[in-house]
Every structure is written in C-alpha cells, then in structure tokens.
C-alpha cells in the first residue's frame, strides 16, 4: 500500500465516521501506526481536506466541499443521461425528455421523440407554470417546503385547461402523494390531449436538479397505462441520480396505477 493509498483511506475514514474521531480512534480504525496517522492528518489538514473541531477531533474540511462543488459544476447532465434516456425510449412509447431545474425554472436539455404516432409536440415546460406539468410537480414535491411555498406564491394559480389543478391547498395534498409515489402525472393539465409522467433526478443533497419525463397522446395512452411504467421511469431517474451522488427514489408503490389515475388528475 502506497502513502497515497493510506492518505485516501484515512480521509474516507474521517468522512464516513458517524461522529468526529480523535487521533487514537483513527489509529484503531485505520490499523496504521500513530506516527503515520499523525503525519497523514497534518498533510490532509494543510490541504484543507480535514480539520480539527473544538475538541481536537477530526472532521471533513472545506477543501472537500470545494472539490465536490467544482466537479458537480462540470457535469454534463444531458451527456451523462443520454444512454439512460435511450434505454427508456426502448421501453416506453412516447417523447422522452430530460429537463434541468435551475433558479426556479425547468429547461429541456434533451428530447428523444419516437418515430410513429406517439410523437407529442406542444408547449415547452418553460412556458407553463410548474403546478400544471408533471415535470414541475416532480420538482415541487421534492423541494423543501419553504421553496415550494415561495415558488407557488400567494396569487391564484393559472389555469391552462379544464383539468389544471389551480387550488393551492389541493395541489399541496397532491404533492405529498407524489413525494410518496416517486413520480408525477400530468393528465391534460397543461395542454388538452397530452399526458405526461415524470420523476425527479436528485443531487447529493437530495434536491431535485432535473426531471426525466415521457409525454404521450391522451387518445392513445391512459393514465393507468402510464403509471404501469412508473417503475421503469423511476429507475431511469435513479440511474442518473446515482451518477451525481443523489439518493434513489425506491420501488414503485404497489397499486400505484390506481392511485395515479384517481389522485393525480
């Protein structure tokens, strides 16, 4: 084992420890000698990767956060997700899209339109309120409550079709259901004749940073049929989340099809 190997193993031990560790504890957990652990900690502290707290125990330093932030900023989410989106298109008939969530807005960064009659065209998510789209609701459901309140505001929600849920109280109830299911449905709420299912991509802080969605023609695909594919959609979202250190959404709730059709109209 090289010195670099020992340093990285020790750094992992500091970061992964359930509570701050002192020098003696790190000697025991690492299996290294006390002089070696002390020397490595001095080097890691100089680089900003570890620091000592008020009780002289070791915790992760700001240098790690700086490296992580720089790495995350350079991730090409659309490029990283392309293989996943291609795979989703082979299992779900509809327009597959990836939308990034930035500064309270959703921007489509990748669209895979299938050949044949399932292609869906229409208003982009940037022109529609978050409350009226599956992608928007997939974001709202997984944001901190304060952020959701700020985004929805106090003004009446805009109606785009007769199916748009414009009552904030009812919408908040639906968002709680979406958070439990792991996916959101838009049943002709933003545009008549179009349905959509969406699941969030989350970062290492469990915050939604993007959404994977599939749009279909309402005349061809029912809400129940869309929900039958929710597990595949969430698996695709999870695969992208994995790449940026985000938590997985989990398995589809049993009976999700019925719940989706009755509760997410």
């Amino acid at each position: 084992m090289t010195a670099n190997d020992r340093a990285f193993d020790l750094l992992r031990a500091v970061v992964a420890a359930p509570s701050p560790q002192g020098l003696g504890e790190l000697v025991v957990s690492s299996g290294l000698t006390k002089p070696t652990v002390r020397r490595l900690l001095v080097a890691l502290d100089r680089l900003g990767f570890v620091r000592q707290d008020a009780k002289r125990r070791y915790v992760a330093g700001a240098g790690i956060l700086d490296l992580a932030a720089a790495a995350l900023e350079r991730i090409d989410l659309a490029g990283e997700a392309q293989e996943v989106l291609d795979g989703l298109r082979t299992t779900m008939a509809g327009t597959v899209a990836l939308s990034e969530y930035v500064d309270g807005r959703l921007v489509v960064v990748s669209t895979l339109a299938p050949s044949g009659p399932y292609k869906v065209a229409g208003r982009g998510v940037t022109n529609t309120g978050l409350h009226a789209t599956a992608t928007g609701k997939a974001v709202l459901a997984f944001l901190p409550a304060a952020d959701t309140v700020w985004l929805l505001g106090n003004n009446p929600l805009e109606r785009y079709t007769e199916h748009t849920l414009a009552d904030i109280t009812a919408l908040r109830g639906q968002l709680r259901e979406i958070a439990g299911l792991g996916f959101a449905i838009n049943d002709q709420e933003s545009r008549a004749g179009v349905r959509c299912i969406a699941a969030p991509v989350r970062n290492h802080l469990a915050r939604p940073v993007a959404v994977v969605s599939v749009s279909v023609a309402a005349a061809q695909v029912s809400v129940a049929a869309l929900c039958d594919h929710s597990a595949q959609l969430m698996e695709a979202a999870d695969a992208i989340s994995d790449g940026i250190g985000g938590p997985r959404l989990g398995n589809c709730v049993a009976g999700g099809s019925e719940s989706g059709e009755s509760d997410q109209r």
Side-chain angles (χ1 to χ4, degrees):
M1 180 181 289
T2 67
N4 286 338
D5 291 332
R6 295 188 185 97
F8 281 116
D9 285 346
L10 187 60
L11 180 58
R12 291 191 189 95
V14 171
V15 173
S19 59
Q21 304 287 293
L23 177 61
E25 293 169 305
L26 289 171
V27 168
V28 173
S29 64
S30 67
L32 300 173
T33 65
K34 189 173 183 178
T36 298
V37 172
R38 181 184 288 112
R39 175 173 53 81
L40 293 175
L41 287 172
V42 168
L44 292 170
D45 180 70
R46 185 173 61 249
L47 294 170
F49 294 158
V50 301
R51 64 177 179 84
Q52 286 183 296
D53 63 14
K55 296 182 178 181
R56 299 185 64 78
R57 298 171 303 181
Y58 288 90
V59 296
I64 293 179
L65 299 178
D66 291 340
L67 284 177
L72 290 172
E73 285 180 1
R74 287 166 174 75
I75 291 178
D76 175 10
L77 197 57
E80 294 285 339
Q82 193 60 47
E83 185 176 347
V84 174
L85 299 179
D86 286 338
L88 186 62
R89 182 169 56 171
T90 65
T91 60
M92 293 186 70
T95 299
V96 177
L98 177 72
S99 303
E100 284 197 50
Y101 176 69
V102 182
D103 297 330
R105 298 172 61 249
L106 277 163
V107 180
V108 178
V109 294
S110 182
T111 304
L112 302 179
S115 59
Y118 288 100
K119 183 175 180 179
V120 176
R123 175 188 298 115
V125 293
T126 55
N127 299 319
T128 307
L130 295 176
H131 67 283
T133 67
T135 50
K137 289 189 286 187
V139 167
L140 291 171
F142 288 90
L143 283 174
D147 289 11
T148 301
V149 170
W150 176 75
L151 286 167
L152 292 177
N154 297 316
N155 297 322
L157 299 175
E158 184 175 354
R159 285 188 177 275
Y160 299 93
T161 74
E162 62 178 328
H163 300 287
T164 304
L165 184 58
D167 180 87
I168 291 183
T169 300
L171 176 64
R172 286 174 179 162
Q174 188 182 87
L175 293 178
R176 287 192 293 271
E177 294 172 2
I178 291 168
L181 292 170
F183 66 93
I185 291 289
N186 165 8
D187 183 10
Q188 306 185 74
E189 297 164 53
S190 58
R191 186 187 179 200
V194 176
R195 289 185 173 123
C196 181
I197 184 170
V201 173
R202 297 185 290 170
N203 65 11
H204 62 293
L205 298 175
R207 291 182 66 93
V209 293
V211 183
V212 180
S213 63
V214 179
S215 300
V216 298
Q220 296 173 313
V221 183
S222 67
V223 172
L226 269 184
C227 290
D228 284 342
H229 291 282
S230 58
Q232 294 160 287
L233 180 76
M234 289 190 292
E235 181 58 36
D238 281 344
I240 302 172
S241 294
D242 286 343
I244 56 176
R248 299 176 68 85
L249 292 164
N251 296 326
C252 179
V253 175
S257 297
E258 294 179 3
S259 176
E261 181 150 22
S262 62
D263 298 331
Q264 293 199 52
R265 279 191 181 277

